[in-house]
């Protein structure tokens, strides 16, 4: 890791709370204790009923690709040196739309995917979309390409 | 969504459309752009500073100052003051709030000004902290400002409706032609051919260089007053035939392939007693060409999903005999002066209908449609607004 350019670390307090609630390979999202709505990005208030009783809970990971594109430009060196970089918008089966890192073999519109969180080199949770039927909670090729292989080796 | 028809905006005059100080970068602060724009508007309309009793300000680079601190900075005492921060919908929203204040007698002369400066490196900082959702859920993924969100929207629109890059190119190339006839446009002197457009370097997904606006410094403004006051000043003016707004429209659409315009366009045409065919020029919010297409569709110039066919069949230049569109070159060719970009189309429409455009005047223009859009919080633009502006002689 020494001298490595790290992914963006800055988040709001809620973004940091999401990281704190995340366990590697799971998808943790806010769920309203009043109306059961699942929401993302994290908020202080439930978008549906305005309750502030929001818990971090492991959420179902299924979703489908809405749109995916290659980025050819970024303001962050971490991405700039790896361009083109692919990101996707994904609709989770339980409602929320997330942006996620994704592999280029599953970028077609409507491709079913599974979304999980990975704690990146800056110690922050980022969402990764992997093939629906992969039995692992990781997309090893993507993670390695992202410079996250040290985490994988820790996990064996 | 059923939106009731608003009351008329009759009796309000739009005066002194002013575009000021466009440059790629500036050492000056937003205060300077706002103050000098105000001075220019006063001088062209024969008013004194003390005649202005209301002000609506839009600026993202004015921080840590604000609309209220400007009163002391400029030595003004005002009885009506607003700060409108709705991104690309700010100009129309400022006009809407100000026009109601004029009608109600809360103020007699209101200056509406959108202005922003641009400093080296300022844009990167701005986009990394644009909003909470941006900070937590889009910027960490490499999204360089709104480019990624709009690449995703554009990609989806192309897949859904069969739109091609050439279709977007028609918009960009026509606007560059218009900009050649509008002196303040920062890119007006650089010709843009379809070949240039298509071979430009890629930015994100289907978006290439000429799909993206160039950040710059600049200001836009106009004055609101009663028609009687405008007549007594003997200045050109135009009027407001209709205004609509809807924010966070259609939140359940998974990808934004329509904005809020469709929800209130019937109200606009009913209020103004015109049809899309009566519109002599259209000023859309062109942060990306696909968004202009959503406005063609949402405002009823063509059916949903058919903007590609529309732009293939319709000349969009100011003198092409079709539908003159973004007649000053729009943000794509003028540059995007921060939130002043949300006034650019409106100020150009007022200039056109007042007969104050110069080389790019649309002859005989009587009705203009102006629309606004903006604030990319996460995956879509949240604001939408539109207005029909009418010439004084209609
Ligand atoms: Zn709730």
């Amino acid at each position: 890791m020494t001298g490595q350019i790290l992914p963006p670390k800055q988040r709001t307090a809620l973004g940091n709370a999401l990281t704190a609630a995340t366990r590697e390979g799971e998808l943790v999202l806010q769920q309203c204790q009043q109306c059961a709505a699942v929401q993302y990005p994290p908020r202080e208030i439930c978008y549906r009923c305005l309750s502030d009783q929001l818990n971090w809970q492991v959420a179902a990971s299924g979703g489908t690709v809405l749109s995916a594109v290659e980025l050819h430009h970024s303001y962050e060196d971490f991405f700039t040196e790896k361009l083109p970089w692919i990101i996707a918008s994904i609709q989770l089966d339980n409602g929320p739309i997330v942006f996620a890192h994704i592999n280029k073999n599953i970028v077609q519109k409507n491709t079913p995917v599974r979304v999980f969180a990975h704690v990146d080199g800056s110690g922050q949770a980022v969402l990764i979309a992997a093939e629906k039927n992969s039995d692992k909670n990781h997309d090893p090729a993507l993670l390695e390409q992202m410079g996250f292989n040290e985490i994988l080796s820790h996990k064996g | 969504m059923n939106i009731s028809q608003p009351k008329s905006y009759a009796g309000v005059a739009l005066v002194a459309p002013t575009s000021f100080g466009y440059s790629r970068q500036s050492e000056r602060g937003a205060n300077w752009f706002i103050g000098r724009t105000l001075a220019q508007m006063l001088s062209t309309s024969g008013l004194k500073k003390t005649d202005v009793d209301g002000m609506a300000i839009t600026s993202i680079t004015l921080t840590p100052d604000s609309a209220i601190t400007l009163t002391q900075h400029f030595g003004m005492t005002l009885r009506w003051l607003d700060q409108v921060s709705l991104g690309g919908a700010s100009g129309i929203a400022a006009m809407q709030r100000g026009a109601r204040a004029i009608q109600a007698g809360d103020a007699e002369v209101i200056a509406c000004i959108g202005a922003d400066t641009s400093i080296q490196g300022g844009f990167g900082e701005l986009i990394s902290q644009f909003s909470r959702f941006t900070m937590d859920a889009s910027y960490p993924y490499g999204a360089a400002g709104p480019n990624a969100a709009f690449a995703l929207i554009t990609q989806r629109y192309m897949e859904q409706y069969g739109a091609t890059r050439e279709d977007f190119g028609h918009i960009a190339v026509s606007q560059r032609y218009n900009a050649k006839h509008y002196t303040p446009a920062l890119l007006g002197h650089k010709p843009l051919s379809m070949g240039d457009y298509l071979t430009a370097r890629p930015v994100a997904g289907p978006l290439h260089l000429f799909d993206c606006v160039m950040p710059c410094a600049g200001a836009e403004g106009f004055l609101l007053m009663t028609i009687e006051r405008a007549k007594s000043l003997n200045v050109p003016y135009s009027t407001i035939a209709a205004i609509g707004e809807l924010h966070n429209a259609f939140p359940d659409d998974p990808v934004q392939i329509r904005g809020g315009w469709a929800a209130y366009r019937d109200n606009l045409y009913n209020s103004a007693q015109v049809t899309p065919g009566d519109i002599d020029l259209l000023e859309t919010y062109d942060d990306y060409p696909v968004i202009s297409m959503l406005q063609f569709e949402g405002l009823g110039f063509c059916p949903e999903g058919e903007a590609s066919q529309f732009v293939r069949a319709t000349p969009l230049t100011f003198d092409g005999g079709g539908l003159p569109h973004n007649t000053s070159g729009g943000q794509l060719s003028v540059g995007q002066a921060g939130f002043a970009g949300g006034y650019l189309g409106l100020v150009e429409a007022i200039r056109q209908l007042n007969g104050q455009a110069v080389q790019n005047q649309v002859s005989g223009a009587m009705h203009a449609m102006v629309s606004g859009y903006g604030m990319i919080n996460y995956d879509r633009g949240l604001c939408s607004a539109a207005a029909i502006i009418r010439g004084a002689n209609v």
Side-chain angles (χ1 to χ4, degrees):
Chain A
M1 291 271 298
T2 47
Q4 203 176 336
I5 296 168
L6 297 174
K9 186 175 177 63
Q10 186 183 44
R11 302 287 193 280
T12 70
L14 277 171
N16 289 326
L18 183 142
T19 291
T22 292
R23 274 171 301 175
E24 178 70 23
E26 287 179 341
L27 180 63
V28 172
L29 298 176
Q30 279 181 319
Q31 185 161 30
C32 177
Q33 300 307 291
Q34 194 102 345
C35 78
V38 175
Q39 64 183 8
Y40 183 89
R43 295 156 161 92
E44 298 197 60
I45 291 292
C46 171
Y47 83 96
R48 189 194 282 162
C49 76
L50 303 183
S51 165
D52 63 356
Q53 302 301 302
L54 303 166
N55 283 4
W56 299 103
Q57 271 166 236
V58 176
S61 63
T64 53
V65 173
L66 293 170
S67 187
V69 294
E70 286 186 339
L71 303 180
H72 298 274
H73 170 256
S74 178
Y75 283 94
E76 287 288 331
D77 292 341
F78 178 80
F79 299 106
T80 301
E81 64 179 15
K82 300 177 179 69
L83 295 173
W85 183 263
I86 307 174
I87 67 168
S89 61
I90 287 160
Q91 182 149 42
L92 298 177
D93 297 341
N94 55 14
I97 289 161
V98 303
F99 286 167
H101 301 303
I102 193 168
N103 251 352
K104 67 178 168 201
N105 55 338
I106 50 171
V107 296
Q108 283 301 316
K109 178 177 75 163
N110 298 331
T111 305
V113 293
R114 55 198 267 116
V115 175
F116 62 88
H118 177 72
V119 179
D120 70 14
S122 289
Q124 290 289 15
V126 287
L127 301 183
I128 312 262
E131 286 178 51
K132 180 84 177 173
N133 298 322
S134 65
D135 49 1
K136 294 179 196 156
N137 276 347
H138 295 295
D139 183 338
L142 178 65
L143 292 177
E144 189 172 346
Q145 190 191 344
M146 290 175 71
F148 296 145
N149 41 352
E150 80 287 352
I151 308 265
L152 288 179
S153 61
H154 285 193
K155 293 225 157 189
Chain B
M1 185 166 182
N2 194 18
I3 300 172
S4 63
Q5 190 160 321
K7 289 180 182 166
S8 163
Y9 290 89
V12 179
L14 302 165
V15 172
T18 300
S19 303
F20 173 80
Y22 274 83
S23 59
R24 295 193 65 157
Q25 281 166 359
S26 176
E27 301 285 304
R28 310 276 196 176
N31 288 280
W32 181 80
F33 284 89
I34 295 167
R36 293 310 302 162
T37 302
L38 176 61
Q40 190 167 318
M41 295 195 300
L42 295 177
S43 107
T44 56
S45 52
L47 287 165
K48 298 189 300 293
K49 190 177 73 172
T50 48
D51 292 324
V52 176
D53 58 357
M55 201 157 68
I57 296 296
T58 298
S59 177
I60 197 164
T61 54
L62 184 57
T63 310
D65 285 3
S66 61
I68 185 63
T69 68
L70 290 175
T71 59
Q72 195 169 32
H73 195 120
F74 299 159
M76 298 173 78
T77 301
L78 303 176
R79 63 169 172 149
W80 187 92
L81 184 61
D82 202 355
Q83 185 156 354
V84 179
S85 296
L86 299 177
S90 297
I92 294 169
M95 173 176 72
Q96 192 277 339
R97 284 119 182 89
R100 289 307 190 207
I102 296 290
Q103 285 183 315
D106 294 332
E108 290 183 19
V109 176
I110 295 176
C112 298
I113 301 172
D116 269 303
T117 190
S118 176
I119 56 166
Q120 179 93 41
F123 192 66
E125 187 181 335
L126 182 69
I127 61 165
S128 68
Q129 300 182 20
F130 187 74
S131 73
R132 292 166 190 277
F133 283 13
T134 302
M135 289 171 70
D136 287 336
S138 68
Y139 189 78
Y141 294 84
N147 283 341
F150 283 102
L152 291 163
I153 289 170
T154 304
Q155 177 71 26
R156 178 71 179 214
Y157 183 90
M158 293 170 80
E159 288 175 13
Q160 188 137 339
Y161 295 127
T164 66
R165 286 198 57 222
E166 284 90 335
D167 298 332
F168 302 131
H170 281 302
I171 292 173
V173 169
S174 302
Q175 289 187 198
R176 187 59 59 88
Y177 173 88
N178 292 340
K180 195 170 72 180
H181 300 85
Y182 175 68
T183 311
L186 291 178
L187 299 172
H189 63 287
K190 292 186 178 172
L192 179 69
S193 69
M194 184 61 88
D196 298 332
Y197 173 87
L198 292 172
T199 56
R201 70 176 164 83
V203 173
L207 303 179
H208 293 60
L209 184 63
F210 299 113
D211 294 304
C212 304
V213 297
M214 180 182 79
C216 68
E220 303 278 345
F222 57 91
L223 299 176
L224 293 166
M225 60 189 71
T226 62
I227 289 174
E228 292 70 35
R229 185 69 174 269
K231 284 180 173 167
S232 77
L233 292 168
N234 197 24
V235 289
Y237 69 92
S238 45
T239 63
I240 304 166
I243 306 178
E245 264 179 71
L246 192 64
H247 309 300
N248 196 22
F250 310 122
D252 296 329
D253 287 358
V255 179
Q256 187 169 46
I257 52 172
R258 56 181 172 163
W261 307 283
Y264 51 83
R265 68 152 180 257
D266 289 347
N267 278 346
L268 294 176
Y269 292 117
N270 287 338
S271 297
Q273 290 291 299
V274 296
T275 68
D278 298 319
I279 300 296
D280 301 304
L281 58 113
L282 170 64
E283 307 287 342
T284 65
Y285 190 79
D286 61 331
D287 49 355
Y288 300 84
V290 71
I291 301 303
S292 291
M293 286 203 181
L294 299 190
Q295 288 158 84
F296 295 153
E297 297 171 4
L299 293 167
F301 293 93
C302 62
E304 208 165 275
E306 293 184 19
S308 285
Q309 292 91 308
F310 181 77
V311 300
R312 282 174 218 157
T314 312
L316 299 173
T317 53
F318 77 93
D319 58 357
L323 179 63
H325 172 244
N326 290 352
T327 45
S328 65
Q331 297 181 86
L332 287 170
S333 282
V334 174
Q336 180 175 61
F339 281 5
Y343 281 62
L344 183 144
L346 176 58
V347 168
E348 169 65 7
I350 298 170
R351 199 160 36 224
Q352 289 280 348
L353 294 188
N354 288 7
Q356 294 174 296
V358 187
Q359 299 169 55
N360 63 334
Q361 180 72 51
V362 175
S363 59
M366 285 296 156
H367 289 99
M369 176 73 84
V370 186
S371 62
Y373 166 89
M375 296 307 282
I376 318 311
N377 186 38
Y378 177 44
D379 63 334
R380 63 193 69 202
L382 296 181
C383 302
S384 86
I388 297 174
I389 310 298
R390 174 174 283 156
N393 299 322
V394 180

